[in-house]
Amino acid sequence: MELHDIFLWVALSFSVVGLLAHEFAGSPLVIPPLAQTDLPHTVQSLLAFLWHVGSVAVLAMIAMFACAATLDGQMPMAVIASAMSLGFALVALTMALRGHKGLWKTPAPYVWTVIAVAGFAGVLTSGELL
């Protein structure tokens, strides 16, 4: 296994962990309290839907990292998945730095940063796109 493959498998593995944490640890902390708010039901439903859309996006990242790690010529998939993770990381870090201090106690600022770094490291060490 080459170095770029190791980085891609690290990114893929952390994406799986992120997905599982998001759905199985995060959902119970977010969805039930959301249902207890005074927000209109349509807003509650939309926010719950968006929570799960995040999981679907991470599933797409997992598929893209898997393609890049196992199929020849699929490194652009890793670029896209890494860019998605970088976007998630930047949103989490920006929000945490701008007053949403509770985010520092969640995996969000950390796991998406690790995935982006590992993914881009895999791309750069592959030499495919240089």
Side-chain angles (χ1 to χ4, degrees), residues 7-23 25-26 51 54-55 58 61-62 65 81-93 96 103-120:
F7 283 125
L8 294 176
W9 283 106
V10 167
L12 188 152
S13 298
F14 272 84
S15 296
V16 170
V17 170
L19 172 68
L20 294 174
H22 189 259
E23 274 303 311
W51 178 266
S55 295
V58 178
M61 287 172 46
I62 291 166
F65 281 129
S82 300
M84 289 174 66
S85 190
L86 178 61
F88 293 162
L90 290 174
V91 168
L93 290 167
L103 278 172
W104 292 119
K105 296 177 183 175
T106 74
Y110 314 104
V111 71
W112 304 122
T113 302
V114 169
I115 295 166
V117 168
F120 282 125

Side-chain angles (χ1 to χ4, degrees), residues 56-75:
V56 173
V58 178
L59 277 172
M61 287 172 46
I62 291 166
M64 287 186 268
F65 281 129
C67 285
T70 60
L71 301 172
D72 290 335
Q74 295 301 311
M75 202 54 64

